[in-house]
Amino acid sequence: MRTKYLFPRYAAALLLGLMALSTLAAPADTWPSRPIRFIVPFGPGGANDLVARAVAEAVSKQLGQTILVENKPGAGSVLGADFVAKAAPDGYTFLTPAGGVVTNAMIKTKMPYKDEDLVPVAMMSVSPSIIVVPADSPIKDLKGLIAASKAGAGLNFSTAGTGSTPHFVAEMLKLKSGAKLHIIPYKSGSEGMVAVMGKQVDVTSEASVVVLPQVQGGKLRAIASTWSRRIAVLPNLPTAAEQGYPDVLIGHWSGVFAPRGTPEAILEKMNRAVDAALKSTELRSRLIPQGIDPVGGTRAEFVKFLAAEKARLGPIAKAADMKED
């Protein structure tokens, strides 16, 4: 009699198991079935916004679904990041931030979300920082900048605010070379760049995509880039490492993050779509001439990069006593 009921019970259990598996598989199998949102935690027109829109267009072709780009600026990118951290983890809302997603927690006393609430999906690109001075400045290279800063009262270095990439560049120069630099914060990197052109300040460092037109137009002189390799469209500009300062290393990177709890299969599918888009000739020919280095890669590679950034930049923020504005 026991055998009589064993098969029906086994069959029922098997059926329930298959139903459960199909439920888990369904999101990835059917995703994306409607438009996706990329949330840019900055205003329109900046380097991060430009990259997000270019990548969104290319990724939408990979996925066969529209990707809408929305700007949610505020609080040094925290507002947009918090919005995504609290969004439904269904694969239809992603964050496309810059380095602030790593450094904000280093300088802010209180954050509305935890780091683990945002899951790394893919690295999009890096816009290397370029250290620039006025076009007619006597400073020709990084050693000349450092020597000039030590010769008198010091040089004024404009930044995009506390904890910004230009701020980290200035603090790296101070810590690693003994440069005498006075930090002058502006509301944006573009304003800081304009201040250099107008000679209100002596020097700044800003994303290649921002300063490149001014360098090519003869309004600024580029004296160093701060990434691990030279910029394709400025092949004669040496890196800080090539000039003897390997610890002056940072770039304006941008990536894709998802709310915690987003299904793994969807994260992997988005990663593969971003990576394929960044390998396409169409997108590369759009980004590289603007001084933007397409990256891509696996999720594991992106996680490794983020861990290295935290480990490297944390001590600098602490040594410089960086505090939120």
Side-chain angles (χ1 to χ4, degrees):
M1 293 295 290
R2 186 177 298 172
T3 305
K4 179 179 179 181
Y5 295 102
L6 182 60
F7 181 74
R9 289 176 181 174
Y10 173 78
L14 181 62
L15 180 61
L16 288 171
L18 290 172
M19 290 174 64
L21 286 173
S22 65
T23 301
L24 289 172
D29 290 344
T30 60
W31 181 88
S33 59
R34 55 186 170 87
I36 297 166
R37 290 190 297 173
F38 274 10
I39 305 299
V40 178
F42 304 100
N48 192 252
D49 180 66
L50 184 154
V51 170
R53 291 179 186 279
V55 173
E57 183 179 329
V59 172
S60 68
K61 295 176 182 178
Q62 295 289 328
L63 295 174
Q65 185 59 260
T66 301
I67 298 181
L68 305 171
V69 178
E70 296 182 19
N71 299 90
K72 290 189 180 294
S77 81
V78 171
L79 187 64
D82 185 49
F83 177 85
V84 175
K86 293 178 171 60
D90 56 7
Y92 290 97
T93 305
F94 293 87
L95 180 70
T96 55
V101 76
V102 168
T103 59
N104 276 329
M106 299 175 186
I107 65 173
K108 294 183 180 293
T109 55
K110 188 176 181 181
M111 292 284 286
Y113 64 91
K114 298 178 180 178
D115 283 351
E116 56 267 31
D117 291 337
L118 293 170
V119 181
V121 180
M123 189 163 177
M124 294 192 294
S125 66
V126 176
S127 297
S129 284
I130 299 179
I131 301 175
V132 292
V133 295
D136 60 354
S137 170
I139 297 170
K140 307 293 185 182
D141 54 26
L142 204 50
K143 288 184 179 179
L145 173 72
I146 293 163
S149 75
K150 295 178 179 179
L155 300 177
N156 291 329
F157 194 113
S158 61
T159 75
T162 301
S164 64
T165 300
H167 189 190
F168 271 99
V169 171
E171 296 297 349
M172 287 175 181
L173 286 168
K174 290 167 65 177
L175 290 168
K176 304 301 181 180
S177 73
K180 191 186 297 183
L181 301 173
H182 307 297
I183 308 299
I184 310 296
Y186 284 79
K187 292 181 179 179
S188 69
S190 295
E191 289 187 13
M193 177 189 68
V194 170
V196 176
M197 290 192 293
K199 299 182 182 180
Q200 283 86 44
V201 296
D202 303 294
V203 57
T204 192
S205 177
E206 190 46 61
S208 52
V209 66
V210 175
V211 300
L212 188 60
Q214 312 306 327
V215 171
Q216 293 174 328
K219 297 180 180 179
L220 290 171
R221 174 185 294 142
I223 62 172
S225 67
T226 65
W227 194 233
S228 56
R229 54 182 175 270
R230 293 193 182 196
I231 302 167
V233 290
L234 289 177
N236 295 324
L237 178 65
T239 65
E242 289 176 307
Q243 297 186 57
Y245 302 96
D247 293 321
V248 181
L249 175 65
I250 194 169
H252 296 252
W253 62 265
S254 55
V256 180
F257 290 74
R260 180 172 58 173
T262 302
E264 286 288 314
I266 290 178
L267 299 179
E268 288 295 335
K269 194 171 180 180
M270 176 58 85
N271 171 270
R272 290 192 297 270
V274 172
D275 185 54
L278 289 164
K279 286 182 168 64
S280 69
T281 302
E282 181 182 359
L283 184 55
R284 294 179 69 82
S285 63
R286 184 174 176 181
L287 297 179
I288 291 173
Q290 299 183 72
I292 301 169
D293 189 3
V295 180
T298 65
R299 287 176 61 206
E301 288 169 337
F302 189 30
V303 169
K304 183 178 180 180
F305 169 81
L306 293 171
E309 285 289 281
K310 288 180 181 180
R312 193 167 56 84
L313 299 179
I316 295 171
K318 185 176 181 180
D321 194 27
M322 291 186 184
K323 303 293 182 184
E324 59 186 323
D325 295 327

